[in-house]
Amino acid sequence: MNASAIIRTENISKAYGKTTVLKNIDLTVASGEFTAVMGPSGSGKSTLMNVLSTIDRFTAGDVWLEGQSLLALDKKDLRRFRQERMGFVFQDYNLLDMLTVKENILLPLSLRKTKPREMDARLMPIVQALSIADLLDKYPGELSGGQKQRTACARALITKPAIVYADEPTGALDSRSATQLLEELAALNRKFGTTILMVTHDAYAASYCGRVIFLRDGAIVNEMYAGDQSQRAFYDRILETQSLLGGKLR
């Protein structure tokens, strides 16, 4: 296995009854990558994320996360691996209304009984990078959608996960808030080297990534890298690929 690979799959398939959702997928994600997974509804992109994040079991093949085969882990080990090595960002934020921004962000560390000094040391660099340092005493009901999502991102990053899974993180945001979030995620990826795997239908969101993987009918049908090209040029290539694959991948 490639020493820099944080995720590797080998011929993974997933079926629900007689319906096969993922078909023999081989995928490698290097440590530190910011990768988008795109595809039309029913293409298997959410199922792929659920399998890679240990939320769902695959039917055949194998998945290695940080060199650890998921087939070798029982449910307890999988839960611990998910809690300790992964962060999650969802479209609907999943914040607790009765907790402040600070308390929501620190909740994963509080559950681990992390020392207050360490929690504070981790908190400030992340909230400053996400431009929410002045919101720590507010409650979710007092925040805009973009502020809620940045709070959710801070919560996902506070545990220093090996990988962050983001499921349509800009889906509920207006264009300005979405752009701010994407710019900050890209900056965090560069600054902290956190691996981010993002499911999105949006070519604009995907253009912030270094790599885009396209799914259709449960299989990888194309992928592309940003390389040295501008974001605009990468965006245009993504749109062109969407068109070649049959229109907008939503």
Side-chain angles (χ1 to χ4, degrees):
M1 178 168 175
N2 188 327
S4 66
I6 193 167
I7 297 173
R8 183 169 70 89
T9 75
E10 184 176 288
N11 293 322
I12 60 167
S13 297
K14 175 64 180 179
Y16 296 99
K18 295 182 179 181
T19 302
T20 301
V21 182
L22 298 178
K23 303 173 183 176
N24 302 317
I25 287 182
D26 293 325
L27 172 66
T28 299
V29 177
S31 179
E33 274 196 85
F34 188 2
T35 302
V37 179
M38 302 187 72
S41 178
S43 64
K45 58 185 184 296
S46 292
T47 301
L48 177 61
M49 176 170 284
N50 288 341
V51 165
L52 295 179
S53 63
T54 77
I55 291 173
D56 202 357
R57 281 282 196 175
F58 44 92
T59 306
D62 201 357
V63 177
W64 289 265
L65 297 178
E66 294 191 299
Q68 174 68 63
S69 168
L70 296 189
L71 289 177
L73 301 178
D74 59 22
K75 289 184 178 180
K76 183 178 180 181
D77 290 333
L78 285 172
R79 184 171 60 252
R80 183 184 302 113
F81 194 96
R82 186 163 58 244
Q83 292 172 343
E84 295 179 355
R85 304 302 297 150
M86 300 177 186
F88 296 87
V89 181
F90 303 100
Q91 181 174 330
D92 57 359
Y93 321 129
N94 286 351
L95 301 177
L96 297 179
D97 291 335
M98 71 290 297
L99 300 182
T100 64
V101 166
K102 180 178 180 179
E103 290 167 341
N104 266 287
I105 294 170
L106 293 177
L107 182 59
L109 296 183
S110 297
L111 295 174
R112 298 183 188 182
K113 303 186 185 304
T114 305
K115 294 180 179 180
R117 182 178 297 179
E118 182 179 349
M119 288 196 288
D120 289 339
R122 291 193 189 189
L123 178 68
M124 293 315 297
I126 293 173
V127 297
Q128 288 171 352
L130 286 165
S131 303
I132 55 173
D134 59 339
L135 302 176
L136 293 180
D137 293 328
K138 292 186 177 295
Y139 289 86
E142 303 175 273
L143 306 180
S144 68
Q147 291 168 337
K148 289 179 182 179
Q149 193 59 292
R150 297 202 299 279
T151 299
C153 288
R155 182 185 56 193
L157 290 163
I158 198 71
T159 60
K160 297 183 178 179
I163 182 167
V164 170
Y165 294 98
D167 190 359
E168 298 282 9
T170 62
L173 304 181
D174 59 60
S175 59
R176 181 178 178 181
S177 296
T179 296
Q180 183 176 3
L181 176 67
L182 291 164
E183 288 176 348
E184 288 166 348
L185 280 177
L188 285 166
N189 169 254
R190 292 190 298 269
K191 182 175 181 179
F192 297 112
T194 304
T195 307
I196 304 174
L197 187 67
M198 177 175 69
V199 165
T200 183
H201 69 271
D202 185 0
Y204 179 70
S207 70
Y208 279 83
C209 299
R211 177 188 183 195
V212 181
I213 297 166
F214 295 92
L215 292 185
R216 183 175 288 282
D217 297 326
I220 295 175
V221 294
N222 202 346
E223 65 178 314
M224 61 178 63
Y225 290 84
D228 295 328
Q229 66 191 307
S230 68
Q231 181 193 341
R232 177 66 198 212
F234 194 38
Y235 171 68
D236 289 340
R237 284 184 61 207
I238 295 169
L239 287 178
E240 181 181 5
T241 300
Q242 286 183 318
S243 177
L244 292 173
L245 292 175
K248 189 174 182 180
L249 299 179
R250 185 170 189 172

